[in-house]
Amino acid sequence: MVILLNAERAYQWLADQQLADGSWWAAYKDNVVEKKDRRETNFVAYVATGVWHHYLISQDNDFIQRLMAGGRRGHSICDCPAAR
């Protein structure tokens, strides 16, 4: 499904942008950090919720395993059986 592939690309972009401490820059514009004076740690909750729902729909274990690696940088994205 095209929708699932687009979602996976978006989650991969988030994983690629995640900083070593688990945060993200607060704003991006055209794939460029807009301001480097603010970081967001709350994004992990949005990513975790989306990744979990994506898994529930797709049952794609490989996808959730790839995304969990990024979540472990700062905070565990989610504690779910599929991620173990």
Side-chain angles (χ1 to χ4, degrees), residues 3 42 53 66 78:
I3 291 174
N42 295 335
H53 283 269
R66 283 193 312 273
C78 63

Side-chain angles (χ1 to χ4, degrees), residues 11-25:
Y11 290 120
Q12 188 59 55
W13 184 88
L14 286 164
D16 292 344
Q17 302 307 311
Q18 191 177 27
L19 302 171
D21 66 357
S23 68
W24 287 265
W25 295 111

Side-chain angles (χ1 to χ4, degrees), residues 17-55:
Q17 302 307 311
Q18 191 177 27
L19 302 171
D21 66 357
S23 68
W24 287 265
W25 295 111
Y28 299 84
K29 185 174 183 178
D30 297 324
N31 285 334
V32 176
V33 177
E34 200 164 51
K35 292 182 181 179
K36 287 196 173 185
D37 61 341
R38 290 187 27 227
R39 291 188 182 189
E40 285 288 339
T41 56
N42 295 335
F43 289 174
V44 73
Y46 306 131
V47 175
T49 301
V51 167
W52 180 239
H53 283 269
H54 182 87
Y55 170 75

